[in-house]
Amino acid sequence: GQQLNQSPQSMFIQEGEDVSMNCTSSSIFNTWLWYKQDPGEGPVLLIALYKAGELTSNGRLTAQFGITRKDSFLNISASIPSDVGIYFCAGQRINYGGGADGLTFGKGTHLIIQP
Amino acid sequence: GAVVSQHPSWVICKSGTSVKIECRSLDFQATTMFWYRQFPKQSLMLMATSNEGSKATYEQGVEKDKFLINHASLTLSTLTVTSAHPEDSSFYICSAPGTTHTYEQYFGPGTRLTVT
């Protein structure tokens, strides 16, 4: 199945630093979502984006939906130890039937924070 | 909030046997649920869409006769891995759309399947 191009694959940063990751796709999505997954658990929704160009914040997290509908980025400011984990972007296809559709995921960004 | 549970959280079975995994929406109803599979250190891959009261739709390359899906009620979808083999060992995760924003999906905690 299709996967989104997510980068970087991993990041080693110092506590307090800002983090930036992004996703690109060859296809258009009408919704972009960002999730965090801890080992052995299901993904937890961080931010959802619905409109091209939309910029949304959730605490120290900020995400934007690209104008072309083919990309998105996630920024984390002032990282803390609990930010450690794997971050996934996910795009949702346009469903003209009006219902929800399955998600296409990026390959993930593994965030490691050094105290 | 939209809470999704799965049972069991982990299961070990012998090759050739079948295993059933349950996915429940605890505080909301879900006419649609989704099943994903995640191999170690990889991303989530959509397997199928579970539709309440009708047949599931499967993604390309997923064997519908091997991965049986039943969405018998508005709060329960089940995935049965039939005649399991070691290569079916994976992390199976379900999700359901939220009720406020149907484009937001909430995931269960996952089920770790190990086939010996």
Side-chain angles (χ1 to χ4, degrees):
Chain A
Q2 179 190 7
Q3 280 190 319
L4 305 177
N5 299 313
Q6 185 172 349
S7 64
Q9 285 189 340
S10 60
M11 300 183 72
F12 295 80
I13 64 168
Q14 298 286 333
E15 182 178 352
E17 289 185 6
D18 296 343
V19 173
S20 183
M21 59 192 79
N22 68 83
C23 268
T24 60
S25 170
S26 57
S27 304
I28 291 175
F29 290 101
N30 71 320
T31 303
W32 280 87
L33 306 163
W34 285 91
Y35 288 88
K36 179 174 183 281
Q37 185 180 30
D38 291 327
E41 298 182 11
V44 174
L45 181 63
L46 299 174
I47 290 180
L49 301 159
Y50 302 104
K51 297 179 182 178
E54 178 183 359
L55 184 70
T56 298
S57 294
N58 178 9
R60 293 179 296 107
L61 278 61
T62 301
Q64 183 159 30
F65 191 157
I67 291 290
T68 64
R69 293 180 171 267
K70 294 182 178 181
D71 63 296
S72 176
F73 73 74
L74 174 71
N75 288 340
I76 305 173
S77 64
S79 59
I80 59 177
S82 61
D83 291 335
V84 166
I86 302 178
Y87 292 79
F88 289 101
C89 62
Q92 186 166 69
R93 299 176 295 226
I94 296 173
N95 185 333
Y96 294 103
D101 211 346
L103 299 179
T104 300
F105 278 83
K107 294 183 179 181
T109 295
H110 190 182
L111 181 59
I112 299 168
I113 299 176
Q114 300 167 337
Chain B
V3 180
V4 177
S5 71
Q6 283 185 239
H7 178 81
S9 55
W10 59 271
V11 58
I12 301 173
C13 71
K14 292 186 177 181
S15 185
T17 62
S18 295
V19 174
K20 180 185 286 188
I21 302 170
E22 294 184 347
C23 177
R24 293 181 186 274
S25 56
L26 296 186
D27 52 356
F28 65 106
Q29 295 181 332
T31 56
T32 302
M33 291 183 177
F34 302 94
W35 286 96
Y36 297 81
R37 181 167 52 184
Q38 185 178 32
F39 291 108
K41 297 186 178 181
Q42 293 190 24
S43 186
L44 287 79
M45 297 296 289
L46 178 66
M47 297 176 65
T49 301
S50 174
N51 303 298
E52 189 269 335
S54 64
K55 291 183 178 180
T57 54
Y58 291 80
E59 295 299 301
Q60 189 174 8
V62 177
E63 300 175 58
K64 62 179 182 180
D65 295 329
K66 181 171 184 61
F67 298 99
L68 302 179
I69 291 173
N70 188 328
H71 196 144
S73 77
L74 288 172
T75 60
L76 173 64
S77 174
T78 60
L79 169 69
T80 301
V81 183
T82 62
S83 186
H85 291 285
E87 57 265 30
D88 298 323
S89 299
S90 188
F91 195 49
Y92 292 87
I93 316 174
C94 67
S95 74
T99 53
T100 303
H101 295 288
T102 57
Y103 297 120
E104 296 177 4
Q105 289 193 19
Y106 296 90
F107 284 82
T111 297
R112 172 74 60 193
L113 170 62
T114 302
V115 184
T116 61

